[in-house]
Amino acid sequence: MRATALAGALQVLLPNPAAARLTQMELARVAVAPPPDARAPLDLAFTEAEGERAVTLAAVAGGRPVLLLPVDYTCGNVCDPMLSLSAAALEATGLVAGRDYGFVLVGLDPRDDAAAARRMLAADLGAAPSPVRPRALVGTAAAVETLTRALGYGYVPDPGTDSIAHPAAAILLTPEGRVARILSPLALNGRDLRLALVEAGEGRTGSLGDRLALLCYGFDAARGIYTPLVRRILAVAGVATVLGIGLLVLLLARAGRVRRA
């Protein structure tokens, strides 16, 4: 009886692998492949989440190299660790935010407003001021499309799950807005990131190499299974849930015996 109840509870609490919604052809468009001499249009207008004021990319960059992180502000998959790990790596560089570099988020979903961006910042970095707190931008569909197209950043909305399949990538820009490097925010370290920022600040660009195709999409939609990263996260969450339910069952059983006594 207890085993049946436990199984039923797990079915409710643990997410089920979703059926494939995006096709393999659609997912093939989800990658970062900057064209030669790719450059961000610095005159693009956005709204900054903090203060909800209009800004341009040029104003946000301020003549500094910029670590640009395209994100989905309501994402429940990899965007959160992308943000927190990027902030930790930037702090480990020993460089000063706002003086030596800029840290900028751009929302991919134009339906997400400034409040959604602020909620993500508070959830991942806390409400207190931080030396590496990014400047979070929201923009119109046209502005987001212009920026991502210029950078060769391909993403595909999935209306069926109200999510966006997009590369888990950070784009390092020179002060002039040229793409210097494509980085994985899930594998950044302070030493390498410091070197990349210094080189980008000098206008130097590295080899862009192959397309970066690590997805932030929760599960591999082509196969209908969870990606390894999310699968590990869910495994930990599943173990914690099982232990919690088991403890609750034991406490209820003990309470029942006490009442009968």
Side-chain angles (χ1 to χ4, degrees):
M1 183 70 175
R2 289 179 183 173
T4 303
L6 181 59
L10 287 176
Q11 286 182 344
V12 172
L13 293 173
L14 294 180
N16 295 314
R21 292 186 183 275
L22 296 181
T23 66
Q24 188 65 52
M25 184 176 297
E26 289 172 319
L27 288 176
R29 292 156 39 200
V30 181
V32 186
D37 199 30
R39 186 185 301 262
L42 296 182
D43 59 344
L44 280 177
F46 289 88
T47 298
E48 187 166 8
E50 301 289 350
E52 300 194 23
R53 56 185 175 273
V55 295
T56 62
L57 287 179
V60 174
R64 300 177 297 265
V66 170
L67 187 68
L68 177 68
L69 207 61
V71 296
D72 177 0
Y73 289 127
T74 56
C75 173
N77 298 317
V78 184
C79 286
D80 292 326
M82 280 170 52
L83 172 54
S84 57
L85 291 173
S86 295
L90 286 168
E91 189 170 10
T93 64
L95 300 174
V96 179
R99 186 193 72 186
D100 300 319
Y101 67 86
F103 184 21
V104 178
L105 308 183
V106 172
L108 292 171
D109 191 342
R111 297 173 301 175
D112 292 341
D113 58 11
R118 291 194 297 269
R119 284 194 295 270
M120 182 182 188
L121 291 177
D124 294 341
L125 303 178
S130 166
V132 292
R133 195 173 186 85
R135 300 180 70 172
L137 309 181
V138 295
T140 64
V144 173
E145 176 64 22
T146 299
L147 176 62
T148 53
R149 183 179 299 169
L151 299 176
Y153 184 95
Y155 64 98
V156 179
D158 179 2
T161 60
D162 192 26
S163 63
I164 296 178
H166 65 96
I171 303 172
L172 183 58
L173 303 176
T174 69
E176 300 77 30
R178 288 189 298 127
V179 176
R181 293 181 186 274
I182 305 298
L183 304 170
S184 170
L186 302 176
L188 290 176
N189 64 74
R191 184 191 61 184
D192 293 341
L193 183 54
R194 178 188 176 96
L195 177 60
L197 284 167
V198 170
E199 290 182 344
E202 296 171 349
R204 289 187 282 168
T205 61
S207 173
L208 297 180
D210 295 331
R211 290 157 50 102
L212 183 65
L214 175 63
L215 303 190
C216 174
Y217 187 45
F219 60 87
D220 183 338
R223 298 180 179 86
I225 59 174
Y226 287 101
T227 59
L229 174 63
V230 175
R231 191 161 55 241
R232 287 195 295 271
I233 295 172
L234 290 177
V236 173
V239 170
T241 302
V242 170
L243 293 176
I245 293 175
L247 178 61
L248 177 61
V249 170
L250 288 175
L251 291 175
L252 291 175
R254 181 174 298 176
R257 287 197 298 269
V258 169
R259 285 197 298 270
R260 287 194 296 271

